Amino acid sequence: MKKECVLVCGGAGYIGSHTTVELINAGYDVVIVDNFSNSEMSAVENVRKITGVEIPCIEADCCDMEAFRKVFEKYEFNSAIHFAASKAVGESLEKPMLYYRNNLTSLMNLIDLMREFGRQNIVFSSSCTVYGEPDKQPVTEQTPRKPATSPYGNTKQISEDILRDSMAAYKGMKTIALRYFNPIGAHPSAMIGELPRGVPQNLVPYVTQTAAGIRECLSVFGDDYNTPDGSCIRDYIDVTDLAKAHVAAINRMIQGRSEENYEIFNVGTGRGVSVLELVNKFQEVNNVKLNFKIAPRRPGDIIAIWADPTRANTVLGWKAERTIEETLASAWNWEKHLRGIK
């Protein structure tokens, strides 16, 4: 029997590379397309080493319709995962047009080509940012979406709307949107992980780079929020657990278990962890001392958000398994591997 093939748009990126590994582990063939605007070819090479599979990787921009079309002409696949998006809240406040152009055009091109070539299933990389600043915790899939606090968050809301309307119009196509919380950590092999260019925009790479001596000091943005220790609270999800949620979504669509043409799932642990709690836990787990300071609040930051993952647990058949300790150890192992630290 021929293996099912999945197109992974943005497959050289942080979540894309981990998802590619889990798709191969689950018995799928994978084709990667990536423009390498925020990723490295080394990630693809390391995915090939981890899996022992010579995964095809096409360097192309999903915003370039003609280049993207060639991928559809060359490869047979019935499912695609869309990771091809810019992802930093802070940067989106400074460069909104970059975010609207990249995140929305790449998705609309994918939908158009899936339809043109008669391909059916799309898994969309959405985000808990669609909930804005929620009135109560934890958030469920029924929690109302609030006005986005950043252009990045707004692109995720608009993308969800584009997919919902497209799936209603184009019979035979299906989408699962995974609203994920805060992905952290690295593959247990320490061969792939988060690889930010320049100054990290996310907390854990900044933590690991500070521990490695690359950054002088970690800033914790705000300790005067209405939370137990005054710092922001997030739901930190292990990247390998998150990758497996994409496999579960693909399985669900291929096996015809989707109840609607457009479904949404929260992908989180169900536990809120504060920034200060995470920083202290990192020091404890890895036996390292971090130089950190309290800095002023950062624009666009939500005070607190964590998931109710019940629907993903019961309907999708997926559950977060790795502990925060395992995840923070994997993040430090990855940083050490990257820097040649013993």
Side-chain angles (χ1 to χ4, degrees):
M1 216 173 100
K2 190 169 174 286
K3 280 186 183 178
E4 285 270 0
C5 185
V6 180
L7 176 70
V8 182
C9 308
Y14 176 42
I15 304 168
S17 59
H18 288 79
T19 299
T20 298
V21 169
E22 295 309 319
L23 284 164
I24 302 246
N25 287 347
Y28 289 101
D29 282 336
V30 174
V31 174
I32 291 172
V33 59
D34 205 299
N35 68 355
F36 296 98
S37 63
N38 194 31
S39 55
E40 306 286 345
M41 190 62 198
S42 60
V44 178
E45 288 158 3
N46 286 334
V47 166
R48 288 169 175 162
K49 284 177 190 166
I50 291 166
T51 59
V53 176
E54 199 56 35
I55 303 147
C57 177
I58 299 91
E59 184 170 353
D61 192 331
C62 297
C63 293
D64 178 343
M65 190 59 145
E66 291 320 302
F68 202 9
R69 179 177 275 108
K70 286 175 182 161
V71 178
F72 279 75
E73 288 168 348
K74 186 171 180 181
Y75 295 97
E76 282 292 326
F77 50 83
N78 207 29
S79 304
I81 305 178
H82 183 276
F83 294 115
S86 305
K87 62 171 189 176
V89 169
E91 185 186 51
S92 78
L93 292 163
E94 295 159 14
K95 302 175 181 176
M97 285 308 294
L98 169 75
Y99 275 69
Y100 287 115
R101 189 173 288 116
N102 187 36
N103 295 9
L104 301 179
T105 306
S106 62
L107 177 65
M108 291 189 288
N109 285 352
L110 175 65
I111 296 167
D112 279 341
L113 288 167
M114 293 289 281
R115 189 174 173 228
E116 182 184 327
F117 284 82
R119 316 286 169 85
Q120 283 178 299
N121 307 316
I122 298 173
V123 175
F124 177 65
S125 162
S126 193
S127 164
C128 65
T129 55
V130 301
Y131 297 116
E133 189 76 66
D135 293 327
K136 60 179 184 182
Q137 307 288 355
V139 295
T140 71
E141 289 80 2
Q142 279 70 49
T143 296
R145 294 190 329 186
K146 293 271 196 80
T149 57
S150 68
Y152 163 74
N154 203 23
T155 65
K156 293 301 184 185
Q157 290 189 349
I158 296 166
S159 294
E160 285 192 357
D161 294 344
I162 289 168
L163 284 161
R164 181 199 62 216
D165 295 345
S166 300
M167 296 310 111
Y170 307 144
K171 300 306 172 199
M173 286 181 72
K174 289 183 175 180
T175 289
I176 289 178
L178 299 178
R179 289 176 177 166
Y180 26 92
F181 286 69
N182 286 60
I184 62 167
H187 192 264
S189 68
M191 289 176 72
I192 52 171
E194 194 163 3
L195 194 60
R197 288 192 173 171
V199 179
Q201 301 276 344
N202 294 336
L203 175 62
V204 170
Y206 213 109
V207 166
T208 59
Q209 288 191 14
T210 304
I214 293 146
R215 306 285 157 201
E216 193 181 324
C217 184
L218 168 73
S219 293
V220 173
F221 297 107
D223 67 345
D224 57 350
Y225 287 105
N226 184 23
T227 61
D229 64 15
S231 65
C232 291
I233 292 174
R234 297 289 181 270
D235 187 336
Y236 295 100
I237 171 86
D238 185 274
V239 68
T240 298
D241 279 342
L242 176 57
K244 289 175 180 173
H246 295 80
V247 179
I250 292 285
N251 288 344
R252 180 170 173 78
M253 289 192 287
I254 284 174
Q255 291 162 11
R257 290 186 287 118
S258 311
E259 289 149 15
E260 310 283 341
N261 287 348
Y262 176 68
E263 294 184 308
I264 295 164
F265 295 93
N266 281 341
V267 182
T269 66
R271 179 176 174 238
V273 175
S274 79
V275 173
L276 284 170
E277 196 183 340
L278 183 122
V279 167
N280 290 324
K281 183 67 75 177
F282 179 87
Q283 295 184 117
E284 179 194 316
V285 166
N286 295 306
N287 198 26
V288 292
K289 189 86 182 84
L290 283 174
N291 183 27
F292 70 93
K293 65 176 184 190
I294 305 301
R297 293 182 179 195
R298 191 170 55 173
D301 271 349
I302 288 159
I303 300 167
I305 188 164
W306 65 91
D308 178 345
T310 304
R311 181 169 150 77
N313 298 165
T314 54
V315 180
L316 199 57
W318 168 90
K319 198 169 195 288
E321 290 171 350
R322 298 188 84 195
T323 65
I324 190 86
E325 289 83 2
E326 288 173 308
T327 302
L328 291 173
S330 75
W332 181 226
N333 287 339
W334 158 245
E335 188 71 47
K336 287 191 292 184
H337 170 81
L338 214 53
R339 312 292 170 192
I341 299 168
K342 295 297 178 206

